[in-house]
Amino acid sequence: MTIDERLIVGLDVADVRAAEKIVRELDGVANFFKIGHGLAFTGGLELARDLTRDGKKVFLDMKLLDIDNTVANGVAKIAGMAVSMLTLHAYPKAMRAGVEAARGSNLTLLAVTVLTSMDEADLREAGYADAPAALVAKRAGQAREAGMGGIVCAATEAADVRRLVGPDMAIVTPGIRPAGADKGDQKRVMTPAEALRAGATHLVVARPIVAADNPRAAATSIIAEMTSA
């Protein structure tokens, strides 16, 4: 896997036109793009099909969670879109349903453990007794048992997750911030080099690239830091 395949640029922008502009600006630098809820609801699913037809890789960050049949139907439909990755919340029944629905396809299912914008106080408010690291570990183990293809976690937990799930599962880490960058609403962050050294296979970077004055230069700088790691 090359470095540019390990960088996933989050297209967290206002609309498809802005996303297409970012993709053009990053041509030859980045080839893997994340489409989340905001963009999906404004034409992002059609953009995903366009990107895959153009040879780009797409990560659909849909964070599916529903009754088993609904999750299975959603995963089966997405498996036919030729995207590379799809997120589900790491609830055991949902994961098992998703894994069965994706069987035989090239879709990598990722288990979302604990959002990088949440800390221990946020989890307590949501009714969880576990600290973030403990809940991440519990959900990572359940994802491995369910047969998921990878884990989404903060880079700060990547080393522990890698020890838990072994060498084969993908570890995708959002909340990546180059040294000196504004953390924004993220609470558990690492630099690109730190995340790779901790065991991450893929880094999701959105605002530090898409909100930069020069997205191409920002992405090039991040790839250089990743290469150094």
Side-chain angles (χ1 to χ4, degrees):
M1 187 189 307
T2 61
I3 286 294
D4 66 321
E5 293 176 313
R6 301 180 72 171
L7 172 64
I8 302 175
V9 178
L11 295 176
D12 298 342
V13 292
D15 52 37
V16 166
R17 182 175 297 180
E20 290 172 336
K21 181 174 183 290
I22 292 292
V23 172
R24 287 194 301 272
E25 291 180 354
L26 298 181
D27 186 47
V29 174
N31 193 55
F32 207 156
F33 298 94
K34 177 182 78 74
I35 294 175
H37 291 146
L39 194 58
F41 299 148
T42 57
L45 297 182
E46 289 76 14
L47 175 63
R49 292 184 176 93
D50 292 342
L51 291 175
T52 58
R53 280 196 295 266
D54 290 342
K56 309 294 187 186
K57 300 182 72 174
V58 174
F59 165 21
L60 280 185
D61 189 17
M62 296 292 99
K63 299 183 178 71
L64 299 183
L65 179 61
D66 212 308
I67 64 172
D68 298 0
N69 186 62
T70 301
V71 168
N73 285 337
V75 170
K77 295 294 192 300
I78 292 169
M81 291 176 59
V83 302
S84 298
M85 290 179 166
L86 169 69
T87 49
L88 283 66
H89 275 293
Y91 285 65
K93 280 169 63 65
M95 291 191 291
R96 289 193 293 267
V99 167
E100 185 59 33
R103 197 174 305 281
S105 75
N106 293 320
L107 180 62
T108 297
L109 296 181
L110 303 174
V112 176
T113 54
V114 176
L115 301 177
T116 53
S117 62
M118 300 183 75
D119 58 17
E120 189 164 358
D122 296 319
L123 288 179
R124 283 199 304 271
E125 184 180 24
Y128 293 98
D130 291 325
L135 186 55
V136 167
K138 178 186 297 183
R139 289 179 166 175
Q142 291 170 332
R144 180 193 59 199
E145 292 170 5
M148 295 284 282
I151 306 294
V152 178
C153 65
T156 51
E157 287 115 26
D160 289 338
V161 169
R162 177 57 70 204
R163 285 190 288 270
L164 178 65
V165 303
D168 297 328
M169 291 179 72
I171 296 181
V172 179
T173 57
I176 300 300
R177 293 292 183 268
D182 181 16
K183 291 183 180 180
D185 59 355
Q186 304 289 359
K187 296 181 178 178
R188 295 165 15 252
V189 303
M190 271 188 172
T191 67
E194 289 171 338
L196 290 180
R197 292 189 187 109
T201 57
H202 299 78
L203 311 185
V204 179
V205 185
R207 279 168 283 185
I209 293 176
V210 301
D213 292 335
N214 186 333
R216 188 178 184 89
T220 299
S221 176
I222 288 171
I223 288 174
E225 183 178 345
M226 294 170 66
T227 302
S228 73

